[in-house]
């Protein structure tokens, strides 16, 4: 069988080899002596250029992934009997040569499939092209880009987790720190700062859940679908996917390399864009404090920079850079979407947009910037309480208390509270010094407006003052998810459990990839060794 197979393989190899020479834009026939030369020659004809490699990066760039795909391909082809073991070992030696020369200072690390193949052919002859049996640039590049997207999503998830950990650490220290919460840009009610931070953690936890859902759709291999309709070779697509760290295959061959390359990257950058909008809100809430002469929330002195002209100014550069980074992510996600809009199936416009525009790498950098902001954050609980005491944030509690404890209809209580706030602001009075006698008078007015059965305020002065206390208001909240300390501690513990589970999930996915790479190397090394 071996003596009969070899001529067939040589005939196929030579036909592939000669066919290359018939094409004017055959990147394998364009001479190149270095990585830069290979990139320049590929760029001339509009072929794929790996900018990552040109910057001197040697880990997980396109060159590395083409070789990893080559490793998996020759292992699978040999296992399937498409290439016999002896020739498979020889081709494996060619793949190993490409990898080893690429590690040298003067080695070539091209990002084009045929340029990589050319290095193999120059080493072992045209039989090297048998590694290309049943495959195409289309499924190879789809696989490479999906692997890049996979790595970027995991990096983004790790950065998200680091920010969540920081949020929860700060929250744990500020369960009893009361701060104003705002609606419509106006102070609304008192909550704890822990309650505030847990709201953002909950939002980022949803992003983690979205990443989990996305990953299940993302990590399906397109390898072995050739151009878009498979080939006449009995390739084992499942084995290719397994060796390359995928959880399965994307079944429809057209979807695998031409259609899913629309929606999977768009789903990923959409999650990043949504995160960025909430990062911008969080940063904006902190930055607003710098509008005040006495903020209760600001960055530590060493994390700001002074004005070149005004000695009193401390500019919060970390906040500005983080907000800019968030805006960049939203913009890059939008640009990625536009690259895919009104493009016919199979075009390159949309396939590599997420990578070339860098929306996800920018999102990872954004979270690292936010983590630096949170690390530098200084909270002044006393100043925050002053802010609460300086306004009528608890006035709604008057209406609630009257209804809850004395069965006074809410609208009467609301009218009473509104009358107090209006008169207090007119006279410059605060909850701590508003005359109790005036409160009695205004309650009577509200009760008479609605013809209530009694116009006597049912709260004595001590109860009236307690009702207007921010701390009392927070402590007396009821129900799931409120700012009351016991509930905040419960939510904090739950959030910490969720973060731990998310980190476990991330570690499992990364370990799966490491295990797959180890299995690939083991199978490949055995093939290369047996064939040498």
């Amino acid at each position: 069988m071996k003596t009969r197979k070899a001529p067939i393989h040589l005939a196929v190899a030579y036909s592939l080899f000669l066919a290359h020479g018939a094409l004017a834009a055959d990147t394998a026939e364009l001479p190149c002596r270095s990585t830069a030369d290979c990139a320049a020659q590929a760029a001339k004809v509009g072929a794929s250029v790996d900018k990552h490699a040109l910057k001197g990066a040697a880990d997980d760039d396109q060159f590395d992934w083409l070789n990893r795909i080559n490793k998996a391909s020759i292992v699978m082809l040999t296992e399937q009997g498409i290439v016999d073991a002896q020739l498979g070992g020889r081709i494996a030696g060619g793949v190993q040569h490409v990898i080893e020369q690429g590690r040298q200072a003067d080695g070539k690390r091209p990002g084009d499939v045929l340029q990589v193949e050319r290095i193999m052919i120059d080493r072992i002859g045209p039989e090297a092209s048998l590694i290309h049996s049943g495959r195409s640039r289309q499924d190879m590049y789809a696989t490479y880009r999906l692997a890049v997207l996979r790595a970027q999503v995991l990096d983004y998830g790790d950065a998200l987790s680091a920010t969540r950990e920081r949020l929860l650490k700060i929250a744990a220290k500020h369960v009893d720190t009361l701060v104003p919460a705002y609606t419509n840009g106006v102070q609304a009610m008192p909550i704890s700062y822990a309650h505030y931070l847990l709201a953002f953690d909950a939002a980022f936890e949803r992003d983690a859940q979205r990443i989990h859902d996305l990953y299940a759709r993302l990590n399906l291999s397109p390898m072995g679908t050739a151009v878009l309709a498979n080939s006449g070779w009995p390739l084992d697509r499942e084995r290719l996917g397994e060796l390359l760290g995928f959880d399965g295959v994307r079944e429809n061959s057209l979807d695998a390399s031409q259609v899913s390359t629309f929606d999977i990257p768009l789903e990923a950058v959409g999650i990043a864009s949504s995160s960025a909008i909430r990062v911008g809100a969080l940063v904006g809430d902190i930055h607003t404090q710098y509008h005040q002469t006495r903020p209760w929330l600001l960055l530590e002195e060493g994390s700001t920079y002074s004005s070149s002209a005004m000695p009193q100014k401390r500019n919060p550069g970390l906040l500005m850079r983080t907000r800019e980074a968030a805006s960049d992510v939203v913009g890059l996600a939008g640009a990625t979407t536009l690259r895919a809009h009104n493009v016919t199936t199979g075009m390159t416009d949309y396939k590599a947009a997420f990578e070339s525009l860098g929306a996800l790498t920018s999102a990872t950098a954004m979270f690292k910037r936010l983590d630096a902001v949170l690390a530098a954050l200084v909270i002044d609980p006393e100043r925050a309480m002053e802010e609460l005491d300086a306004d009528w944030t608890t006035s709604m509690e008057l209406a609630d208390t009257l209804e809850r404890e004395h069965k006074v209809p809410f609208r009467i209580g609301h009218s009473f509270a509104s009358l107090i706030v209006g008169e207090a602001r007119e006279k410059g009075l605060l909850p701590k010094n508003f005359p109790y006698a005036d409160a009695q008078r205004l309650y009577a007015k509200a009760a008479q407006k609605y013809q209530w059965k009694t116009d006597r305020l049912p709260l004595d002065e001590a109860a009236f003052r307690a009702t207007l206390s921010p701390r009392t208001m927070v402590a007396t909240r009821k129900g799931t998810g409120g700012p009351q300390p016991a509930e905040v501690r419960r939510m904090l513990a739950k959030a910490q459990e969720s973060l731990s589970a998310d980190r476990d999930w991330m570690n499992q996915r990364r370990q799966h990839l490491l295990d797959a790479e180890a299995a690939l190397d083991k199978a490949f090394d055995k093939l290369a060794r047996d064939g040498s």
Side-chain angles (χ1 to χ4, degrees):
M1 290 295 290
K2 289 184 179 178
T3 56
R4 293 179 62 189
K5 264 192 175 182
I8 295 173
H9 288 140
L10 287 173
V12 173
Y14 276 113
S15 66
L16 288 170
F17 182 57
L18 291 172
H20 293 165
L23 298 174
D26 183 352
T27 51
E29 296 300 312
L30 300 174
C32 61
R33 295 176 299 278
S34 66
T35 301
D37 274 351
C38 293
Q41 294 292 354
K44 280 183 181 179
V45 295
S48 177
V49 176
D50 185 12
K51 296 177 182 178
H52 188 71
L54 287 175
K55 293 177 181 177
D59 296 325
D60 294 321
D61 60 13
Q62 190 162 320
F63 173 78
D64 287 319
W65 263 101
L66 291 181
N67 284 301
R68 198 172 297 179
I69 291 169
N70 279 343
K71 282 184 173 184
S73 292
I74 196 56
V75 167
M76 181 275 299
L77 289 170
T78 306
E79 290 176 349
Q80 289 295 101
I82 297 170
V83 173
D84 68 55
Q86 184 176 2
L87 184 54
R90 187 178 175 196
I91 294 173
V95 174
Q96 190 61 41
H97 166 70
V98 174
I99 295 169
E100 289 175 355
Q101 67 81 37
R103 293 171 180 158
Q104 305 305 312
D106 58 348
K108 294 184 287 189
R109 301 178 61 85
D112 180 78
V113 171
L114 294 184
Q115 288 178 334
V116 171
E117 184 182 287
R118 183 76 224 189
I119 300 172
M120 293 174 59
I121 290 173
D122 289 345
R123 180 72 171 186
I124 67 170
E127 300 99 319
S129 61
L130 288 169
I131 201 171
H132 208 53
S133 301
R135 71 181 195 183
S136 161
R137 273 195 184 100
Q138 295 293 328
D139 61 339
M140 292 179 73
Y141 286 165
T143 301
Y144 157 69
R145 287 168 184 148
L146 207 54
V148 170
L149 181 61
R150 177 174 69 189
Q152 290 183 0
V153 165
L154 291 176
D155 287 345
Y156 162 63
D158 282 340
L160 174 67
S161 292
T163 293
R164 289 179 62 200
E165 181 179 12
R166 182 82 68 178
L167 285 171
L168 295 180
K169 283 182 178 178
I170 299 171
K173 297 177 182 178
H174 292 283
V175 172
D176 296 313
T177 298
L178 301 189
V179 299
Y182 299 82
T183 60
N184 300 309
V186 180
Q187 189 176 142
M189 299 179 74
I191 59 173
S192 68
Y193 197 53
H195 188 256
Y196 169 88
L197 294 175
L198 285 170
F200 279 92
D201 174 73
F204 293 141
E205 180 184 355
R206 291 192 291 274
D207 287 334
Q209 293 166 354
R210 292 179 183 110
I211 290 171
H212 297 183
D213 293 343
L214 163 68
Y215 196 88
R217 289 184 284 275
L218 181 160
N219 203 37
L220 298 174
S221 172
M223 197 60 212
T225 57
V227 178
L228 53 81
N230 290 11
S231 70
W233 297 99
L235 304 187
D236 187 342
R237 289 190 59 205
E238 286 74 14
R239 178 61 168 156
L240 284 171
E242 176 188 9
L243 291 169
L244 295 171
F246 292 95
D247 297 323
V249 299
R250 200 172 308 283
E251 289 189 356
N252 186 292
S253 59
L254 177 63
D255 180 35
S257 62
Q258 311 299 332
V259 179
S260 65
T261 42
F262 277 108
D263 64 281
I264 297 298
L266 289 182
E267 184 177 357
V269 300
I271 297 170
S273 178
S274 177
S275 291
I277 289 171
R278 279 164 284 130
V279 168
L282 177 57
V283 168
D285 286 350
I286 300 170
H287 207 171
T288 300
Q289 286 289 307
Y290 277 83
H291 299 178
Q292 301 190 35
T293 56
R294 293 181 61 234
W296 55 264
L297 193 63
L298 73 168
L299 303 184
E300 61 187 5
E301 186 82 0
S303 297
T304 59
Y305 64 92
S306 61
S307 166
S308 62
M310 295 162 282
Q312 84 282 3
K313 282 191 69 183
R314 298 294 182 268
N315 296 315
L318 289 178
L319 289 172
M320 293 184 284
R321 301 296 85 77
T322 304
R323 188 179 60 249
E324 290 164 6
S327 297
D328 286 345
V329 171
V330 174
L332 291 168
T336 304
T337 302
L338 288 174
R339 280 272 292 270
H341 178 59
N342 278 345
V343 178
T344 56
T345 307
M347 294 296 185
T348 58
D349 304 50
Y350 61 91
K351 293 179 180 179
F354 81 89
E355 183 185 9
S356 60
L357 292 171
L360 282 163
T361 52
S362 295
T364 299
M366 169 193 72
F367 271 115
K368 290 179 179 178
R369 288 186 179 277
L370 178 58
D371 190 59
V373 167
L374 295 172
L377 202 58
V378 177
I379 299 101
D380 186 342
E382 292 182 4
R383 175 67 189 94
M385 185 59 78
E386 284 182 22
E387 189 79 1
L388 287 167
D389 288 338
D391 203 356
W392 287 85
T393 310
T394 57
S395 60
M396 192 182 90
E397 183 61 15
L398 278 174
D400 283 350
T401 298
L402 287 169
E403 179 183 5
R404 188 174 61 245
E405 297 183 9
H406 301 282
K407 310 305 178 186
V408 175
F410 178 80
R411 196 51 55 199
I412 294 175
H414 187 276
S415 177
F416 166 53
S418 295
L419 289 170
I420 285 183
V421 172
E423 186 168 308
R425 286 179 171 166
E426 183 180 339
K427 296 180 178 180
L429 297 171
L430 299 175
K432 287 183 177 181
N433 59 16
F434 191 87
Y436 177 66
D438 289 345
Q440 291 175 305
R441 172 176 54 82
L442 294 174
Y443 178 81
K445 183 176 180 180
Q448 291 164 8
K449 176 182 177 181
Y450 289 94
Q451 299 179 344
W452 185 235
K453 57 188 178 183
T454 175
D455 60 5
R456 180 175 177 274
L457 177 61
L459 299 173
D460 61 23
E461 184 168 1
F464 173 72
R465 300 291 177 202
T467 300
L468 292 175
S469 162
R471 194 161 298 281
T472 299
M473 183 175 180
V474 169
T476 56
R477 298 305 87 188
K478 305 292 183 184
T480 302
Q484 61 270 31
E487 182 63 6
V488 168
R489 290 189 181 93
R490 184 196 66 80
M491 289 190 290
L492 181 60
K494 184 180 176 183
Q496 289 165 338
E497 289 176 4
S498 170
L499 176 59
S500 178
D502 184 56
R503 285 214 152 124
D504 287 343
W505 184 92
M506 285 290 210
N507 290 336
Q508 289 166 13
R509 296 307 171 283
R510 290 194 182 278
Q511 188 60 51
H512 174 72
L513 296 179
L514 291 173
D515 291 345
E517 186 173 0
L520 171 59
D521 288 343
K522 182 178 180 180
F524 176 80
D525 291 345
K526 183 179 186 302
L527 178 61
R529 192 167 54 246
D530 291 349
S532 61

